[in-house]
Amino acid sequence: MGRIHRWGMIFAFLVIMGCAYIGIKMVFIEDKDSEVPAVTGMQLVDAVDALQERGLLAKVDKVDSPMAADTVVSQNLSAGEKVSKGKVVLLRVSKGGAIQPIPDVRGLKFEEGVRKLSDAGFKVDKVTRVTDKLKPSGTIIAQNPASPQQVAANCMVSLLVSSGTSGESAFVTVPDLRGQTQEAAVAMIEQLGLRLGQTSDAPSTSLPIGSVLSSRPKGGAKVPAGSLVNLTFAREPLASETTNDIPPVNDQDKERAEAVRKVVIKETTPTTIPSKLPVTEEPEQKKPEQKKPEPAKTEQPKVETPKAETPAVNTPAPKPAPAEPAAPTKHAKVRYQVPPLTKPLSLKIEMTDASGTRVLKDVMANSGEYISMNVPYSGEARITIFLGGDFVWQDRYN
């Protein structure tokens, strides 16, 4: 009995030692009996299957990459490395978004830098203005992310802009927003450091419904950064507003005059601008021309009765002589800039003075074209401007 008991104790001790060895090995000693496969460049589904076949697990991290979506960009464990089964392998997988170099806009004017970033597909997120004694006001000092980093195409860029030596606000040029959609117009305003102000609508038949009809301040105006820009959007005219080809007078005074009144710069006081050229005005201008030759004809018979026909030919010669004292001694300064146009329109400028009515210019004008003329006149003169066949401006010179 003693011998059996002794062998039983020995067997129990061996069993305990074996269990202890197995436990220690499982807990403290890693069994590197699995080899990490190469999954870089594979699709995510195929990469996970390859890891599971080796008894490994996968953890996915989505990153920006020019590679196709769901493509494994990299793995944290090298291919062929011996690891234990159940090991987690970190896989970096492409989102499918392209990355590209960000342009360097340091040293550029704020509006120029924003335009360059926008052309490259980036948007300005935050603008910080600081006083800088070395950089002129409105100059971009720094940017984040900085060039030449490779970043996602939809990355937002922050800019550090100089406010000059005394911290004055930089001036920004208001873009031409006419014809832009509301979303595009607001994006352009915000990218330039401006803010959207009040919005309104007005009838229009020349622009798509919902597009920008006009802005205040107007396109091209220089305003401090952070200024409000009020927008007027086109809407479908009402039944009472579609009787004429041009907007009603009430609307024209606000919208048409806003687009046209800026184009004339002169030294005299502006006169009241009618909404459309009166129909009776042209006949009135032509009648004086027809009446003037009539007294000349009555005078000619009086000269012809006592004299021969040959002297009658000489009688018109002195007629220019009385016109010479009435020769133009004054000049009308006309400055005209064609408003924004979708296509060239006919431009006609007429002058009426003591010598009659004459056409100063009759051409096809392009958008933004600038015209400057110093026109001699005698007596009292009237300048009339037609754009696209419509009356747009008239003024008098004494």
Side-chain angles (χ1 to χ4, degrees), residues 10 17 44 54 61 81 84 93 109 111 147-148 195 203 209 216 224 260 277-278 286 291 301 307 339:
I10 293 173
M17 291 298 296
L44 178 59
R54 305 291 180 91
D61 184 15
E81 183 178 348
S84 61
V93 180
K109 280 293 186 180
E111 54 269 24
S147 178
R195 295 179 297 158
I209 304 302
R216 286 183 180 272
V260 175
L277 183 66
K286 295 179 180 178
K291 290 180 179 179
K307 297 181 181 181

Side-chain angles (χ1 to χ4, degrees), residues 202-206 209 234-244 248 251:
S204 174
T205 57
S206 60
I209 304 302
R235 63 171 170 81
E236 186 176 357
L238 303 177
S240 59
E241 297 172 330
T242 57
T243 54
N244 298 325
D251 294 324

Side-chain angles (χ1 to χ4, degrees), residues 219-242:
K222 294 278 189 178
V223 298
S227 299
L228 295 176
V229 178
N230 302 323
L231 299 179
T232 300
F233 297 97
R235 63 171 170 81
E236 186 176 357
L238 303 177
S240 59
E241 297 172 330
T242 57

Side-chain angles (χ1 to χ4, degrees), residues 82-125:
K82 293 287 186 175
V83 295
S84 61
K85 291 184 178 181
K87 187 73 174 180
V88 177
V89 181
L90 177 61
L91 303 179
R92 291 180 175 83
V93 180
S94 174
K95 293 180 180 179
I99 61 172
Q100 59 186 25
I102 186 170
D104 189 358
V105 297
R106 293 173 297 176
L108 301 179
K109 280 293 186 180
F110 176 75
E111 54 269 24
E112 184 181 354
V114 172
R115 190 181 305 110
K116 187 175 181 180
L117 290 171
S118 179
D119 292 343
F122 299 97
K123 293 183 179 181
V124 176
D125 178 31

